[in-house]
Amino acid sequence: MPTTATPSPISDIVRSRYSVRKFLPTPLPPSDIRGVLEDAQAAPSNCNTQPWTVHVVSGAARDALSKELLKADEEERFSPDFSFSYADFGEGAYIDRAQDHAATLYQSVGIPRSDRSARYAHARENLEFFGAPHAAFLFMPAFGDGVRAAGDIGMYAQNFLLSLTARGLGGIPQTMLGQYADTVREFLEVPKELRLLFGISFRTADVTAPVNSFHMGRVQLEQSVVLHDTPGVLDEQ
C-alpha cells in the first residue's frame, strides 16, 4: 500500500535558515559552540577523510584578527587560495541571480547602486564579522584538484549552519574572508599547505536590523532538476 512520507522537523530547519548579516554581540556559552562543532563533525566525506581543519576565533583573538583583515583590505593585500570573479559566471542565469542578490541586499539597507563608497563600506563589514562574537575559518588540504575536499567542506559547513538554526542561532558563510588567506594563516599560525576556503560568522541574529529582513528565494525545481523514469515528482502538490 502506497504511503506518503511526513516531512520531519529538519525540513523546517532547512527552509528557515538564512544568511545573517547583523548579529547580537553577546558571546555564546562554550557548550553551545561545542554542540555546533559536534554536529558539523558528523558530516560525510570522501573515503571518510574528514579533510576539514577549523579555527574558531572569539574575544580578543576575534577582535585582533578583524583589525588585521581590515588592514590587509586597505593595503590591497589580497591572497586568495581559490579564485573568484563575477566574470566567471558568464552570461545567463548565474550572473542574473548574483546581480539580483546584490540589488536586493543593497536595497534592504538603502544603498543605491551609484553609491560605490557606501557599497564598499558595507562589504567591509564582512571583515568585522557583521558584529558576530564568533567566527569559524574552514581550511582544507590540497588533495588533487581540491574539488572533492571542497565538497566535503561544504557538507561540513551545511551541518554547521543547520545546527546553528536548530538552536535558534544564525550564521553566514563568507567567501570574502577567503580573499585574505595569508593574513588569516599568519595570524592563526596555520600551516601553508592548508588552504582557506571560507569563514562562517555566527551567533544570534539581530532581528531588528533591516539587512536581516530579506531572504533570497530559490528557482523552481524544474530549472535545476532532471528526472529519469521518476514520474510525479514535479507535479503540483
Side-chain angles (χ1 to χ4, degrees):
M1 179 177 179
T3 60
T4 300
T6 302
S8 68
I10 187 64
S11 297
D12 296 331
I13 295 171
V14 169
R15 297 178 190 221
S16 62
R17 188 217 62 81
Y18 68 97
S19 292
V20 177
R21 290 181 171 83
K22 183 67 174 177
F23 294 87
L24 298 179
T26 307
L28 284 171
S31 59
D32 283 352
I33 297 176
R34 182 178 180 87
V36 171
L37 292 170
E38 288 176 339
D39 289 343
Q41 192 76 12
S45 59
N46 183 51
C47 298
N48 196 36
T49 49
Q50 303 174 57
W52 43 79
T53 296
V54 183
H55 286 246
V56 179
V57 295
S58 308
R62 175 254 186 229
D63 297 343
L65 179 53
S66 176
K67 290 180 180 179
E68 290 298 319
L69 288 168
L70 290 166
K71 182 179 179 182
D73 181 70
E74 291 167 359
E75 298 173 355
E76 298 185 348
R77 288 189 283 112
F78 309 116
S79 54
D81 291 327
F82 303 93
S83 65
F84 173 80
S85 172
Y86 279 100
D88 293 337
F89 295 148
E91 299 181 358
Y94 302 127
I95 189 62
D96 289 347
R97 293 169 194 163
Q99 291 174 342
D100 180 54
H101 173 265
T104 304
L105 168 61
Y106 288 119
Q107 183 179 20
S108 75
V109 291
I111 299 177
R113 181 181 178 85
S114 59
D115 194 341
R116 293 188 176 183
S117 61
R119 289 164 69 98
Y120 173 63
H122 181 78
R124 275 170 58 86
E125 292 183 21
N126 274 276
L127 308 181
E128 298 174 302
F129 312 121
F130 295 113
H134 311 288
F137 290 82
L138 280 60
F139 294 88
M140 55 174 275
F143 293 157
D145 61 8
V147 172
R148 286 179 173 78
D152 294 340
I153 301 298
M155 289 185 280
Y156 178 99
Q158 182 73 335
N159 272 20
F160 192 106
L161 293 165
L162 294 180
S163 180
L164 288 169
T165 303
R167 298 165 190 271
L169 306 171
I172 178 171
Q174 298 164 262
T175 55
M176 185 172 177
L177 296 177
Q179 299 300 303
Y180 311 90
D182 286 347
T183 298
V184 176
R185 257 192 301 267
E186 180 178 352
F187 183 88
L188 298 177
E189 299 182 348
V190 175
K192 184 73 174 180
E193 59 267 22
L194 291 180
R195 300 177 180 179
L196 176 59
L197 196 56
F198 56 88
I200 299 175
S201 296
F202 64 99
R203 196 358 178 157
T204 305
D206 180 353
V207 295
T208 68
V211 73
N212 286 333
S213 65
F214 85 97
H215 298 173
M216 298 302 297
R218 299 294 186 267
V219 300
Q220 296 296 311
L221 290 180
E222 290 83 352
Q223 294 179 253
S224 59
V225 178
V226 179
L227 299 174
H228 301 267
D229 289 332
T230 316
V233 173
L234 298 182
D235 292 348
E236 291 292 335
Q237 299 297 314

